[in-house]
Amino acid sequence: MAILVSVPVQAQGSDSYLRETVSSTVQIGDLDLATVKGRHKLDRRVRAAASTICTSNAAQDLRRLADESRCRREALRSVETQVAVAVAAAAHRDAGAIAAR
């Protein structure tokens, strides 16, 4: 099971408004999202993926830093629903397992 973090970004080396979608897959199959610890690990992975896809190797100036910050916010927003669904599914599985006892 995985979550896809994606965000449209300005094409590398382009001064125009050309945009491309950059994405990163976050694996969640090994996490117990029914626990606080599992959800914290997921949050760290999602934030790391957002940082990876939004950080540029180009020289840093204020505009580029602002663009990267905006990109990370957009990337995190792009996964909110996927994270909520994964956490709810984990809680449902846990509730079913407890009820079956």
Side-chain angles (χ1 to χ4, degrees):
M1 189 172 208
I3 290 177
L4 184 67
V5 180
S6 63
V7 66
V9 296
Q10 185 170 337
Q12 289 287 338
S14 173
D15 291 331
S16 68
Y17 289 98
L18 295 176
R19 308 273 283 174
E20 62 182 335
T21 299
V22 180
S23 61
S24 177
T25 302
V26 176
Q27 297 298 324
I28 63 171
D30 64 318
L31 299 177
D32 181 357
L33 298 179
T35 67
V36 172
K37 183 177 179 179
R39 291 188 299 272
H40 282 293
K41 284 184 181 180
L42 173 59
D43 184 61
R44 283 193 303 272
R45 289 180 188 181
V46 167
R47 288 180 184 282
S51 247
T52 298
I53 63 176
C54 293
T55 301
S56 168
N57 292 330
Q60 297 295 316
D61 59 22
L62 289 178
R63 181 179 175 159
R64 186 166 305 276
L65 291 173
D67 287 346
E68 289 177 7
S69 180
R70 178 195 43 76
C71 176
R72 281 191 296 277
R73 283 191 309 274
E74 288 179 18
L76 294 173
R77 270 196 308 271
S78 81
V79 298
E80 286 175 345
T81 301
Q82 294 176 75
V83 168
V85 167
V87 169
H92 181 72
R93 278 192 304 274
D94 259 19
I98 291 170
R101 290 181 192 170

